[in-house]
Amino acid sequence: MMDKNILAIDIGGSKLLVGIINKQGKVLVSRKQMFHNPNQNSVLQAIITQTSKLKEEGYEFNLIGVSIPGLADPITGVWLYACFSKISNFPLAQILSERFMCPVFIENDANICAYGEKMFGHAKNVSNFIWVTVSNGIGSGVFLDNHIFYGYIGNAGEIGHVNVEENGYTCSCGNKGCLEAQAAGPAIVRRYREKVLSASENITAKEIADLAKNGYSPAIEIYGETGRYLGKAIAAAVNILNVPLVVLGGGVSMDFQLFAGELRDTINKYVYKTANPNLEIKHTALGYEASLIGAAAYAIYRTSKEKSDNK
């Protein structure tokens, strides 16, 4: 089963990445497609289109891993819900398995990235760590004793819905002041436009990051504030879980250096230091394609586990 490469699919809030990954976690080729108002049909058609192009180019695979934003049922392969797109109860694994005639495994994007970091990144030799995705949304994957911690009904790790601002912005979950509502990409844009009234309504978090890198103080302040929001939530998670490592990834985290100082200072302010000595905060070793590599890692993990369980 594992002689060929893996088809990895990374479904984001605004983009799709499809790639061929080998067993060593190397991205052999990838294709990107942007979404506009994604829904079940548009997402599925984008996956089929990009995968078909890869097959036409001669790339083969016999295993598929899929990273999805929001809630997933990794056992049934159903995409349960995504706040950003409102996609719900979508039997994506079954559809893709029937289409491409091979096993398909889906999982939440933060958990997927945690598997990737564990198999190929900073957490290779760490049994307990937290992965935090900062992108259009914010989520986390929690690795405890070398396994993802799923919680009561599989929804553990929703760090994006920790309150970090009393009476803050309304979150897509319905609450106010959630980390996701205050510090994800759209929130960075919202806070910047409130600070800089002349800003374009089409400005992006990446463009604001570029302004910060060029020394524009309002943009620098916005990213510092982002670090403080993230630091509050991460410190709370570390205090509860007592992990020695936190890894950050996702599109916003590609500009980690812009908020790393405020992030670390805030964590240092709120974390229980005596109980959590030598805590490390790192940017992912897997770069922009962390979720793509993680999807392959998860497919490898699930295949190996099923083989072991059937012995």
Side-chain angles (χ1 to χ4, degrees), residues 235-272:
V238 170
N239 284 339
I240 293 168
L241 297 173
N242 190 218
V243 297
L245 172 67
V246 178
V247 181
L248 283 84
V252 170
S253 289
M254 293 303 103
D255 293 302
F256 180 70
Q257 73 275 18
L258 293 179
F259 59 84
E262 292 285 356
L263 170 72
R264 290 193 168 101
D265 287 348
T266 305
I267 291 172
N268 190 53
K269 178 179 178 181
Y270 289 106
V271 79
Y272 181 15

Side-chain angles (χ1 to χ4, degrees), residues 29-220:
V29 63
S30 67
R31 298 286 181 265
K32 182 177 181 178
Q33 181 170 328
M34 301 306 295
F35 290 135
H36 301 285
N37 299 318
N39 56 52
Q40 291 187 10
N41 288 334
S42 64
V43 169
L44 180 60
Q45 287 306 310
I47 291 171
I48 291 172
T49 296
Q50 297 305 324
T51 301
S52 297
K53 288 180 181 179
L54 291 175
K55 290 178 71 70
E56 289 169 5
E57 293 168 15
Y59 291 99
E60 295 185 356
F61 56 87
N62 61 353
L63 187 61
I64 300 176
V66 185
S67 169
I68 64 103
L71 307 181
D73 185 334
I75 304 303
T76 63
V78 173
W79 184 352
L80 296 175
Y81 183 69
C83 288
F84 189 77
S85 65
K86 307 304 181 187
I87 289 174
S88 63
N89 298 316
F90 186 21
L92 184 57
Q94 179 184 342
I95 293 170
L96 294 179
S97 181
E98 291 172 353
R99 175 87 184 195
F100 296 110
M101 303 300 292
C102 67
V104 180
F105 301 102
I106 79 165
E107 178 56 288
N108 162 268
D109 51 2
N111 287 345
I112 281 274
C113 289
Y115 277 104
E117 204 71 39
K118 175 63 179 170
M119 193 171 289
F120 300 118
H122 290 309
K124 281 182 182 179
N125 300 314
V126 179
S127 301
N128 301 275
F129 72 98
I130 302 171
W131 164 280
V132 180
T133 295
V134 189
S135 189
N136 280 316
I138 297 178
S140 69
V142 179
F143 241 85
L144 300 178
D145 296 331
N146 280 321
H147 298 285
I148 282 285
F149 176 70
Y150 284 100
Y152 170 47
I153 55 172
N155 298 330
E158 288 294 334
I159 197 172
H161 299 285
V162 171
N163 182 278
V164 293
E165 182 69 68
E166 196 69 26
N167 298 317
Y169 299 138
T170 299
C171 183
S172 57
C173 75
N175 293 330
K176 287 187 175 182
C178 292
L179 177 64
E180 180 167 297
Q182 300 298 136
I188 290 172
V189 171
R190 181 174 181 176
R191 287 188 282 112
Y192 180 80
R193 291 188 63 213
E194 289 178 355
K195 181 181 286 288
V196 182
L197 299 181
S198 61
S200 166
E201 63 180 22
N202 297 317
I203 196 167
T204 65
K206 180 61 180 172
E207 289 168 341
I208 297 167
D210 290 340
L211 289 170
K213 291 174 187 175
N214 288 324
Y216 187 51
S217 59
I220 293 171

